[in-house]
Amino acid sequence: MSRSQFSRLALCAAALGALAISAVAIAPSLAAEDAVVIPAPAMDAKAADGIQTVVVAGGCFWGVQGVFQHTAGIVNAVSGYAGGSKATASYETVSTGTTGHAESVEIKYDPKKISYGKILQIFFSVAHDPTQLNRQGPDSGTQYRSAIFTTSDEQQKVTDAYIAQLNAAKVYRKPIVTKVGPLQGFFPAEAYHQDYLTLHPSQPYIAYNDIPKVENLKKLFADNYQDKPTLVSSAKVTN
C-alpha cells in the first residue's frame, strides 16, 4: 500500500479501535523487506574537519530520515526535496512526479564520529533497496527514486567506487540503479514531515514500512546505532 492508502487506513483504524491496535502490533513482522548484509566500502573519504553534508534519496523520506536520526555521528537529518527547482519544492507538487525532485534527506555528519563510507553502507543496506527503479516498496514514481546528491568530488568518487564494488560482488539479485551526481539544491520539506517516524510510530505506513528499518539498523549496525534519535526539532548544527 502507498502512503495515501495507509492514510485512509489510519482513519478507519481510529474508528475500529482495538482492531487497529492489533494490526499495528503485528505490522513489523509483516512488512518491509529484509535488510541486505553488504561489505563496507573498500574506499572511504578522508576524515575532514567540520560538519559534512550529503543528500540521499531512497523512497519516502520518513523512513530514511528515521534511520539516520538513529545513527550515531549524524548531527542532523532533514526531510526535503532535491533534483528540482525551489519554485516547485512542495509536497503536493512533488507528489505529482513531474517536478524532477526526489523525496530526499539532507544528512549532516561529523566525519570524526562516522565516515562517509559507513553512511553509504547503512543507506544501501537498511535504509532502502537500491535496485528498485523509480519506486521504493509501496510507493512508485520518479519522486521515490534512489539517488545520492554529493557535495564534493571525493564523495562522488567514493560513491561510484562503492556501487561498482557492490555490483561486482553481486550482493543484490539485481543491479543497483542509484543515480549519483552533484547536489544542485536541497529544499526542506514542510514541518509536518519532520521527525515523522518518531512522532507517529504507530501510524500504519510507518509501522509496516519504516520501523523495521530502524530495527535492522540496530541489529546490523549496533556500533553505529543510538536509541535516542537526533531530531530536527532539537538538532544543534554549528556549521
Side-chain angles (χ1 to χ4, degrees), residues 121-181:
Q121 188 180 16
I122 291 170
F123 178 64
F124 285 122
S125 174
V126 304
H128 85 309
D129 179 353
T131 70
Q132 295 194 51
L133 181 64
N134 293 333
R135 68 171 298 115
Q136 198 63 214
D139 300 309
S140 62
T142 57
Q143 68 272 32
Y144 298 112
R145 66 187 182 273
S146 175
I148 297 175
F149 302 91
T150 59
T151 61
S152 71
D153 290 341
E154 185 178 35
Q155 285 185 355
Q156 179 86 34
K157 292 177 181 178
V158 171
T159 306
D160 288 341
Y162 193 35
I163 290 174
Q165 175 189 339
L166 294 177
N167 278 331
K170 298 185 184 304
V171 296
Y172 305 101
R173 296 178 180 177
K174 298 182 292 183
I176 292 172
V177 297
T178 307
K179 298 296 184 182
V180 184

Side-chain angles (χ1 to χ4, degrees), residues 2 19 23 28 43 49 52 56 68 71-74 98 107 113 146 197 201 208 220 239:
S2 67
L19 180 59
M43 176 193 300
D49 292 328
Q52 304 296 305
V56 301
F68 286 106
T71 301
I74 305 302
T98 61
I107 299 170
K113 296 181 179 179
S146 175
L197 182 146
Y208 274 81
L220 297 182
N239 63 332

Side-chain angles (χ1 to χ4, degrees), residues 15 23 25 73 96 168 204 216 225 232:
T96 66
N216 286 332
Y225 174 81
V232 174

Side-chain angles (χ1 to χ4, degrees), residues 26-97:
I26 64 173
S29 64
L30 296 178
E33 300 175 6
D34 291 336
V36 178
V37 177
I38 61 176
M43 176 193 300
D44 205 340
K46 296 178 181 179
D49 292 328
I51 303 304
Q52 304 296 305
T53 302
V54 65
V55 174
V56 301
C60 172
F61 43 32
W62 294 342
V64 178
Q65 182 191 47
V67 166
F68 286 106
Q69 288 183 325
H70 279 279
T71 301
I74 305 302
V75 299
N76 203 9
V78 178
S79 290
Y81 314 105
S85 70
K86 182 178 180 179
T88 54
S90 67
Y91 182 67
E92 293 300 326
T93 310
V94 171
S95 294
T96 66

